Amino acid sequence: MIEEREVSSEKAVLIGVVTQHQDEEQAHEYLDELEFLTLTAGGIAVKRFTQKLEMPHPKTFIGTGKLEEVRDYMQAHHIETAIFDDELSSSQLRNIEKVLNCKVLDRTNLILDIFAKRAQTSYARTQVELAQCQYLLPRLTRLWTHLERQKGGIGLRGPGETEIETDRRIIRDKIVLLKEKLKIIDKQMAVQRKNRGKMVRVALVGYTNVGKSTLMNVVSKSDVFAENKLFATLDTTVRKVVIKNIPFLLTDTVGFIRKLPTQLVESFKSTLDEVREADLLLHVVDISHPNFEDHIASVNKILDEIKSSDKPTIMIFNKIDAYQHETIEDDDLVTEKSKIHYTLAEWEKTWMNKMDNKCLFISALNKENMEEFKEKVFEEIKKIHISRFPYNDFLYDEYTEED
């Protein structure tokens, strides 16, 4: 299912819809994210198409007139890939391919392709392969046209089993095998978690590409792979960290994203177990992103789905070095002040009130405010440690780091 291959930059058009549930601003923002996903997968988005509809067209996602406009543009500019911003049904894929006569991908397929490219360990590759099989199963109808029937010998000349039925059976069998393989790995990981003793566990969570791995490297002095691309980290990384006189385990987890495919949430269940079993969550946010509050809401929604929203949490606003706000001129009497005009100090005051002072503003890349970060994390870990070991006089003497 997953093959190592060099991906050359192929041109693609991006297609989205403006609906009653998704206004024009949101649609453009999702397409921005889709363009970043396309770039991460090794493609180049050359054109965007959007259409206002009450709801996506059940047969072709967008209207037939708009679809013909997309086809004409792609033929004129020799583009062979169309990427849609929502998950398409098997019938929609088939109908769109008939009109466009090109490779058609949806957001889910694109994310799965990136995951397949990024997966390094056997565990991650198995999880991705399971998600791919689950995605592929209802969409096999468009793949097989070269064989109609399989026929037996004398006395077995009935209609037999069609090619599509054979492949569905193979995929179902593979899904069962992959689930069994994941169960074995889950048991191994559960034993690993058990063998880590009763140290406090801290998990880094957040939207994809907010700087979790960079922060992990700074805090744990390790060398976790970090890159300015979506889903740079798929494999869970655990490091032992000591702040002052308390050791704890710090876990770097896979980043979340809006419209995250349900197949991935299910197949990455064990990766999310690290979040479920954590004692403290460090919710990392890219404050330089104009829609970081939407990202926070998306992460909180997934945390709620995996029943981890009630855990002690520190909000870490990262990338303060890249934050820029718009200003209002002194003689401008028309423009009303909004969130885009907030300074860092104003955001800090806002979120300090919301989070009961459990938030920090840092730059992991430039190591700004890292001492304040360590102090705040230490305070929270100490509370958990004392509640768990009321008579423990700690494993180490208290000390301060010297640069």
Side-chain angles (χ1 to χ4, degrees):
M1 183 64 63
I2 302 172
E3 297 177 358
E4 291 289 339
R5 65 184 188 277
E6 288 295 321
V7 181
S8 58
S9 294
E10 56 182 273
K11 294 178 181 178
V13 296
L14 309 182
I15 301 158
V17 290
V18 178
T19 65
Q20 53 189 342
H21 303 297
Q22 181 175 291
D23 60 30
E24 198 163 345
E25 188 179 340
Q26 281 180 316
H28 285 299
E29 190 191 331
Y30 286 146
L31 286 174
D32 286 341
E33 200 166 74
L34 191 67
E35 185 172 346
F36 202 180
L37 284 166
T38 305
L39 181 66
T40 303
I44 299 171
V46 295
K47 177 76 173 175
R48 297 181 180 188
F49 292 91
T50 56
Q51 186 176 27
K52 290 183 179 179
L53 297 167
E54 279 193 21
M55 58 182 293
H57 197 286
K59 288 186 177 179
T60 52
F61 189 73
I62 54 175
T64 51
K66 177 63 76 171
L67 201 59
E68 287 170 3
E69 182 189 331
V70 173
R71 181 195 61 196
D72 294 342
Y73 180 87
M74 292 179 72
Q75 288 176 350
H77 295 83
H78 307 289
I79 299 167
E80 296 184 353
T81 306
I83 304 174
F84 287 75
D85 189 42
D86 284 279
E87 189 168 325
L88 301 174
S89 67
S90 56
S91 60
Q92 284 175 328
L93 274 168
R94 189 167 59 250
N95 294 332
I96 292 166
E97 282 182 338
K98 281 180 184 176
V99 177
L100 297 184
N101 194 27
C102 71
K103 180 166 65 176
V104 178
L105 303 174
D106 59 17
R107 189 183 183 94
T108 301
N109 202 341
L110 187 61
I111 291 174
L112 285 170
D113 189 68
I114 293 167
F115 270 51
K117 186 180 174 185
R118 297 277 179 177
Q120 296 296 321
T121 65
S122 171
Y123 186 43
R125 291 169 74 88
T126 305
Q127 288 176 315
V128 174
E129 195 167 347
L130 175 60
Q132 285 179 315
C133 287
Q134 289 171 331
Y135 172 81
L136 191 62
L137 184 60
R139 294 169 176 80
L140 283 172
T141 49
R142 66 195 179 95
L143 297 179
W144 300 107
T145 53
H146 61 291
L147 294 175
E148 282 190 4
R149 301 281 180 183
Q150 292 181 337
K151 295 180 181 177
I154 297 171
L156 297 173
R157 299 189 186 277
E161 188 177 37
T162 61
E163 180 79 4
I164 183 69
E165 287 166 349
T166 305
D167 288 290
R168 278 184 183 148
R169 178 166 48 78
I170 291 168
I171 292 283
R172 285 194 193 100
D173 290 344
K174 191 160 192 178
I175 287 173
V176 171
L177 286 172
L178 289 169
K179 283 183 175 178
E180 288 300 316
K181 187 176 178 182
L182 281 178
K183 278 182 185 177
I184 295 168
I185 300 174
D186 289 347
K187 286 179 183 177
Q188 293 171 348
M189 294 192 75
V191 171
Q192 286 176 8
R193 284 193 287 267
K194 193 175 179 181
N195 289 341
R196 289 172 193 158
K198 295 187 178 180
M199 279 195 286
V200 176
R201 296 178 193 174
V202 181
L204 292 166
V205 297
Y207 210 71
T208 183
N209 200 42
V210 294
K212 296 187 297 297
S213 297
T214 304
L215 181 59
M216 175 86 163
N217 288 337
V218 173
V219 176
S220 64
K221 298 183 174 67
S222 57
D223 192 22
V224 176
F225 178 71
E227 188 180 8
N228 185 29
K229 283 190 177 179
L230 302 182
F231 303 116
T233 302
L234 286 189
D235 297 298
T236 301
T237 309
V238 182
R239 294 286 183 270
K240 183 179 177 181
V241 179
V242 180
I243 296 181
K244 296 187 179 179
N245 59 342
I246 301 180
F248 63 93
L249 295 172
L250 183 63
T251 305
D252 185 16
T253 61
V254 63
F256 302 147
I257 195 168
R258 286 169 295 191
K259 301 183 184 179
L260 186 69
T262 52
Q263 297 96 333
L264 281 175
V265 174
E266 182 58 32
S267 65
F268 273 74
K269 175 180 163 290
S270 295
T271 302
L272 298 172
D273 278 343
E274 294 286 352
V275 178
R276 286 191 194 93
E277 297 192 13
D279 301 300
L280 175 67
L281 300 182
L282 302 183
H283 184 165
V284 186
V285 181
D286 176 6
I287 196 169
S288 66
H289 195 285
N291 300 100
F292 73 86
E293 288 188 297
D294 288 343
H295 293 180
I296 292 171
S298 299
V299 173
N300 286 338
K301 183 183 175 187
I302 295 172
L303 289 175
D304 193 49
E305 286 174 8
I306 62 173
K307 296 178 174 58
S308 299
S309 56
D310 58 344
K311 289 183 180 292
T313 304
I314 302 176
M315 198 75 80
I316 311 294
F317 291 96
N318 191 25
K319 303 189 183 182
I320 59 172
D321 55 305
Y323 179 74
Q324 292 180 331
H325 65 279
E326 293 187 18
T327 56
I328 302 174
E329 298 296 331
D330 294 336
D331 57 350
D332 186 349
L333 303 176
V334 178
T335 307
E336 289 186 22
K337 186 173 181 178
S338 63
K339 289 181 177 180
I340 61 173
H341 302 107
Y342 280 17
T343 62
L344 275 174
E346 287 172 316
W347 275 122
E348 189 168 349
K349 186 178 178 183
T350 302
W351 279 96
M352 282 291 185
N353 290 332
K354 279 187 183 181
M355 294 295 297
D356 193 25
N357 288 334
K358 289 186 179 179
C359 65
L360 292 159
F361 287 72
I362 68 166
S363 168
L365 189 66
N366 295 343
K367 299 181 181 178
E368 288 182 55
N369 299 340
M370 289 310 296
E371 286 308 314
E372 185 186 348
F373 167 84
K374 289 178 182 177
E375 192 63 41
K376 176 69 79 175
V377 172
F378 174 76
E379 286 173 16
E380 293 301 315
I381 290 171
K382 190 173 182 179
K383 289 177 191 173
I384 298 166
H385 190 88
I386 290 171
S387 66
R388 187 172 295 171
F389 309 110
Y391 303 108
N392 187 329
D393 57 356
F394 303 110
L395 301 178
Y396 300 94
D397 293 328
E398 189 167 336
Y399 74 98
T400 54
E401 292 185 23
E402 293 181 4
D403 293 330

